[in-house]
Amino acid sequence: MRFILQRLGFYLLAAWAALTLNFFLPRLMPGDPATALFARFRGQLRPEAMQALREAFGLTPEPLLGQYITYLGHVLRGDFGVSVAYFPSPVSTIIGTGLLWTMFLAGTAVAVSFVLGTLLGVAAAWWRGGWMDTLLPPALALLGAFPYFWLAMVALYVFGFQLAWFPLGHAYADDLTPGMNLPFLASVLRHAALPVGTVVVATLGGWMLSMRNTMVSVLGSDYVNLARAKGLPPSRVVLRYAARNALLPSVTGFGMALGFVLGGSLLTEIVFSYPGQGYLLLQAVQSQDYPLMQGIFLVITLAVLGANWLVDIAYLWLDPRTREGS
Amino acid sequence: MTAPASRRSTGARAWLDAIRRDRKASVGALILVLFALLAVVGPLLVGDPTALVAVPLEPPSSAHWLGTTGQGQDVLAQTVVGTRVSLLIGFAVGIVVVLVGSLVGVTAGYFGGRVDGMLSLLFNVFLVIPGLPLAIVLAAYLPSGPLTVAAVLVFTGWAWNARVVRGQTLSLRRRDFVLASVVSGESSLRIITREILPNMTSLLVAQVIGSSVYAIGALVGLEFLGLGDVSSVTWGTNLYWASNDSALLTGAWWTYVPTGVCVALVGFGLVMLNSGFDEITNPRLQMERAWRAHLAAAGQPASRSTPVVVRDG
């Protein structure tokens, strides 16, 4: 329990750091942020949009500390200001629609890649020297060296454009209304196959190699030899005795990989015009919609921090030593 | 000839020998040497990459080996010229990331206590904040250009390095030779630069390689979004223009395939070089090499209970 609270404290601190960073970002621009911002938007924005922008950044005549407190108050209420490109929609509404899609895409990709890569690693370590052990790791390392979004472009060209096995973009067919019905869910899966597939292909090698290496040293340890000498069935030795312990370093890496994969999947979304945060982020960058950009950064960061905390809880369940320590 | 100079040259030769002995490392080194040559000599051999030389989106032909872009520029020239800038920025960022990370990591590990607490907290926070979204927002605010992108990548990338170097410093800090220097009253600066850092050279080299992989990938990603200088010719901007000229919908695969293959080959070369280094310098893997030699001498194959991670070849 103490461990969980300790980690929660750390993530709250990290969240505060991200908030503060976010507050100072507009103030990084050379010169006075208000003037610089308004110079960029001169003639493009109505006065009321300008006023909203000013309020969103807390660019009021108050002293800096006062601005900071006003800003924190806004964020805590879930108010990220008003979007410039989609004026007058609030940023939180725009982000809300895309967040689920991003979490679905990145979450599925990380989970599939982790499970598949770990199983491949277990298999490679058990049949050491087989083709899975010798040919697969370098091949996956080469695939992992391609930029995610480039793999996405190639997959889109080959499987979407040439072979027409999968749709070319978006999250579901345009003629369907979202709901818990079979055609809609099937359409979502079909649209997610390519984006998820490319991220999985790019990240599989890392999980496989780390699991394989830990697994090999765990398989050589005395307690596994004893389990085998007792005549336990191989599946039990591999999965219950060896794999559970060999999983620990991978789980530690899981939290960190989450943020990294999410970043990559944002770029993948752009290639597939997938209506998630990445696509929104690109639009925000192109239309210089700073409030939307910052809102997306904050929401993504908070999602990653939350997911990391869940991973910590899973670690606690996997490794009894952390439980006894607390 | 003075003694330190000769020692240094044998050191470099030892590295070269080690690379030659390990097949993965030699493959990686070969790929990287080829790309270094391409970056240095290549731009002299191809024409102006921004010149409009032919009809837009022409497929590969004998006149234009890799076809033309959506604006009628030569893809081969763009790819070759892009290599120079992309590798330059990528490796420069890789080196600066390691410099910054090592400075923080060594300080935290050496001084310990409250300094360590604060610095560790700092890099752990940076590690959990997702880097790419932060880099995108930062790059969007700052004036665009190669220096901005480089600075942004250093800012979002140094933390992992600091963590690794801190761990290594902590273990070296407790070794006898470091303790002896402390007792003999040497200054902290001298101990760090003369005793601790030289003993993690191989780690730092590995970190530079790893950080360059990160930097090149992130650089290409940011430029793909149009956050670099879109008028310059780099790998990332090549992909940006390919995507903007809707190469995907017109089926013009030749506008983005060469650049992607180059990025991947450089990344693959760096990863191979690093895993080769790892097998040379990592004591755990060295122990396994000894195991392997022992098994070979006894004429026994490795069984499931032998803790041998690395295979021959």
Side-chain angles (χ1 to χ4, degrees):
Chain A
M1 202 56 214
R2 182 144 154 247
F3 172 77
I4 294 183
L5 287 179
Q6 220 170 18
R7 296 307 294 168
L8 183 64
F10 169 72
Y11 292 124
L12 286 178
L13 193 81
W16 171 76
L19 281 177
T20 309
L21 204 62
N22 206 31
F23 172 73
F24 281 106
L25 278 174
R27 292 162 179 80
L28 272 179
M29 286 205 287
D32 170 35
T35 334
L37 260 186
F38 299 148
R40 280 195 196 182
F41 287 118
R42 181 153 303 144
Q44 296 173 32
L45 284 186
R46 280 167 288 172
E48 61 265 32
M50 288 284 215
Q51 189 53 37
L53 199 59
R54 200 186 277 277
E55 276 171 17
F57 288 114
L59 295 173
T60 46
E62 280 178 285
L64 201 61
L65 187 68
Q67 293 179 11
Y68 183 58
I69 291 170
T70 317
Y71 159 81
L72 282 185
H74 278 291
V75 171
L76 287 182
R77 269 179 274 133
D79 175 7
F80 298 115
V82 176
S83 160
V84 176
Y86 298 90
F87 191 80
S89 299
V91 166
S92 45
T93 320
I94 302 169
I95 292 179
T97 56
L99 187 62
L100 277 178
W101 288 119
T102 296
M103 282 169 58
F104 165 67
L105 199 67
T108 316
V110 175
V112 169
S113 176
F114 180 79
V115 171
L116 204 62
T118 303
L119 286 178
L120 282 176
V122 169
W126 184 248
W127 291 291
R128 205 180 322 158
W131 65 272
M132 270 207 279
D133 195 21
T134 47
L135 295 180
L136 215 48
L140 288 177
L142 183 63
L143 277 177
F146 285 100
Y148 293 11
F149 65 88
W150 186 86
L151 281 180
M153 286 164 98
V154 172
L156 187 62
Y157 178 70
V158 175
F159 298 109
F161 195 76
Q162 288 290 348
L163 299 171
W165 289 354
F166 294 100
L168 289 172
H170 304 295
Y172 51 89
D174 297 332
D175 53 351
L176 292 173
T177 41
M180 278 317 225
N181 52 56
L182 208 59
F184 175 71
L185 293 179
S187 174
V188 165
L189 284 184
R190 254 173 69 83
H191 282 76
L194 279 186
V196 168
T198 49
V199 174
V200 167
V201 163
T203 50
L204 203 56
W207 296 124
M208 177 180 175
L209 211 62
S210 90
M211 187 62 185
R212 174 199 177 271
N213 285 352
T214 339
M215 191 71 188
V216 164
S217 43
V218 170
L219 279 179
S221 62
D222 292 340
Y223 79 94
V224 174
N225 284 335
L226 177 68
R228 289 176 59 208
K230 276 199 296 194
L232 291 178
S235 63
R236 195 179 159 88
V237 175
V238 173
L239 297 177
R240 298 286 292 276
Y241 279 66
R244 180 168 169 170
N245 278 342
L247 203 57
L248 290 177
S250 287
V251 173
T252 316
F254 191 83
M256 222 162 285
L258 216 57
F260 196 74
V261 174
L262 194 79
S265 92
L266 292 182
L267 295 176
T268 307
E269 282 178 12
I270 293 170
V271 175
F272 288 100
S273 318
Y274 206 80
Q277 303 291 289
Y279 194 55
L280 273 180
L281 191 57
L282 180 73
Q283 287 178 323
V285 167
Q286 281 170 348
S287 55
Q288 301 197 318
D289 188 346
Y290 292 102
L292 183 57
M293 244 187 270
Q294 286 190 270
I296 292 173
F297 164 66
L298 260 193
V299 167
I300 290 177
T301 307
L302 293 181
V304 168
L305 293 180
N308 265 289
W309 191 51
L310 293 181
V311 171
D312 285 341
I313 294 176
Y315 194 87
L316 201 66
W317 170 74
L318 264 177
D319 186 357
R321 283 171 300 183
T322 16
R323 272 191 304 240
E324 278 160 16
S326 59
Chain B
M1 198 184 214
T2 55
S6 71
R7 201 184 305 146
R8 198 168 299 147
S9 74
T10 53
R13 182 160 306 154
W15 283 82
L16 277 180
D17 283 344
I19 291 175
R20 213 174 298 146
R21 264 202 311 273
D22 189 276
R23 200 169 65 179
K24 275 190 204 164
S26 356
V27 169
L30 185 71
I31 295 177
L32 293 175
V33 167
L34 287 179
F35 270 96
L37 275 177
L38 190 67
V40 175
V41 190
L44 307 173
L45 304 177
V46 295
D48 178 12
T50 52
L52 307 176
V53 290
V55 186
L57 294 180
E58 198 179 281
S61 64
S62 56
H64 303 284
W65 292 354
L66 295 177
T68 58
T69 67
Q71 284 149 20
Q73 298 145 332
D74 187 57
V75 174
L76 179 68
Q78 291 221 320
T79 311
V80 169
V81 173
T83 307
R84 184 181 276 187
V85 185
S86 301
L87 289 190
L88 200 67
I89 300 181
F91 284 112
V93 169
I95 290 170
V96 176
V97 159
V98 172
L99 283 179
V100 175
S102 319
L103 189 71
V104 176
V106 163
T107 312
Y110 182 82
F111 292 103
R114 201 170 294 168
V115 176
D116 185 22
M118 296 297 289
L119 290 177
S120 295
L121 190 63
L122 186 69
F123 63 67
N124 280 326
V125 164
F126 262 87
L127 273 175
V128 288
I129 294 180
L132 195 78
L134 178 58
I136 291 173
V137 177
L138 267 173
Y141 269 115
L142 296 167
S144 70
L147 261 184
T148 301
V149 176
V152 164
L153 292 181
V154 171
F155 184 72
T156 52
W158 61 276
W160 175 250
N161 206 268
R163 181 165 156 154
V164 173
V165 171
R166 171 185 172 270
Q168 187 71 9
T169 310
L170 275 182
S171 84
L172 285 175
R173 181 78 173 81
R174 285 190 292 265
R175 300 276 179 82
D176 288 343
F177 67 94
V178 174
L179 293 176
S181 317
V182 174
V183 172
S184 65
E186 284 189 40
S187 72
S188 300
L189 185 69
R190 197 184 149 80
I191 297 174
I192 287 176
T193 54
R194 288 304 182 81
E195 309 287 349
I196 292 183
L197 285 179
N199 272 298
M200 42 169 127
T201 317
S202 59
L203 178 80
L204 292 180
V205 172
Q207 290 289 316
V208 168
I209 296 175
S211 303
S212 302
V213 176
Y214 146 79
I216 293 172
L219 178 69
V220 172
L222 284 185
E223 287 176 338
F224 170 66
L225 290 177
L227 287 168
D229 177 6
V230 289
S231 61
S232 67
V233 176
T234 66
W235 285 346
T237 50
N238 289 351
L239 292 176
Y240 168 79
W241 286 114
S243 152
N244 260 28
D245 297 335
S246 45
L248 282 174
L249 299 177
T250 50
W253 53 268
W254 58 88
T255 55
Y256 57 87
V257 165
T259 299
V261 170
C262 287
V263 175
L265 278 179
V266 169
F268 181 68
L270 287 168
V271 169
M272 285 293 112
L273 191 62
N274 229 1
S275 68
F277 271 158
D278 203 30
E279 288 176 17
I280 297 160
T281 53
N282 185 336
R284 196 171 61 95
L285 299 182
Q286 270 170 0
M287 195 187 78
E288 281 150 10
R289 210 200 307 271
W291 258 103
R292 226 164 40 208
H294 178 72
L295 284 173
Q300 297 244 321
S303 83
R304 275 178 188 148
S305 346
T306 20
V308 179
V309 175
V310 198
R311 285 172 36 80
D312 274 309

